[in-house]
Amino acid sequence: MLRTWLEGYSVGKREWPLATRLRTIGCLVEECMSEGSFALDLTADGVHFAEWQTVVQDDDLELVSINLANDHSLVATFACERLQADVVFTFSDVRAFRVVDEGGLLQLWAASKSNPRPAQTTFCVRGHQWQSESPLAWLHGTDKPYFSYMIATDWDCLEVVAFDPPEVGVKAKP
């Protein structure tokens, strides 16, 4: 696998530049491998949050639907009370996603007490349990090194690993 990365690895339609491949391999060697066992802690001190600005970054949303297509695109629709509209997030080239209730993210909520997340609803995150459980999704995942995109609601939270941030559109309710 390392030889493939160094010689020129492409994921989907994207060719990874050599510098990116070397940085990824360096991270794997330095941070992820330990005496033949695979252990993943992508950050030196645990969970990190990053800003992901959207029109609803601090709004209360409600998950309406999620659709995953054969081309690895994911469309998630959320109702927004403030806008009186649906907000549609369209991710392309999704590597992994999960929907969990807020209780399934206790590690993130505890981490945000000491290291506040940049917004209530939409933000990026890395260094959490899911990365340890599913490390390959992040190796082939995102332009923001090892971050996933999170849409948090009072009930259901959507976390997506994708190359690029989604297109976000507001669709008026009929």
Side-chain angles (χ1 to χ4, degrees), residues 51-63 76-91 117-123 150-154 158 166-171 173:
E51 186 174 51
W52 170 31
Q53 292 184 353
T54 67
V55 296
V56 292
Q57 65 189 27
D58 287 311
D59 286 309
D60 290 325
L61 301 180
E62 182 180 334
L63 180 61
T77 303
F78 291 82
C80 178
E81 185 68 31
R82 179 183 65 86
L83 298 176
Q84 292 294 297
D86 286 338
V87 181
V88 180
F89 295 82
T90 304
F91 292 88
R117 60 188 195 259
Q120 169 188 319
T121 306
T122 60
F123 53 92
M150 177 71 72
I151 305 166
T153 75
D154 285 342
L158 173 64
E167 293 179 20
V168 180
V170 177
K171 187 171 94 175
K173 292 184 179 181

Side-chain angles (χ1 to χ4, degrees), residues 120-131:
Q120 169 188 319
T121 306
T122 60
F123 53 92
C124 293
V125 64
R126 72 175 179 186
H128 57 307
Q129 181 101 19
W130 192 33
Q131 283 183 316

Side-chain angles (χ1 to χ4, degrees), residues 78-143:
F78 291 82
C80 178
E81 185 68 31
R82 179 183 65 86
L83 298 176
Q84 292 294 297
D86 286 338
V87 181
V88 180
F89 295 82
T90 304
F91 292 88
S92 60
D93 206 12
V94 170
R95 292 293 163 213
F97 76 97
R98 68 178 182 159
V99 178
V100 294
D101 66 16
E102 197 169 84
L105 299 169
L106 294 177
Q107 178 192 25
L108 296 184
W109 306 151
S112 67
K113 288 181 183 177
S114 61
N115 177 23
R117 60 188 195 259
Q120 169 188 319
T121 306
T122 60
F123 53 92
C124 293
V125 64
R126 72 175 179 186
H128 57 307
Q129 181 101 19
W130 192 33
Q131 283 183 316
S132 295
E133 294 168 355
S134 304
L136 292 180
W138 274 265
L139 297 181
H140 301 283
T142 145
D143 268 353

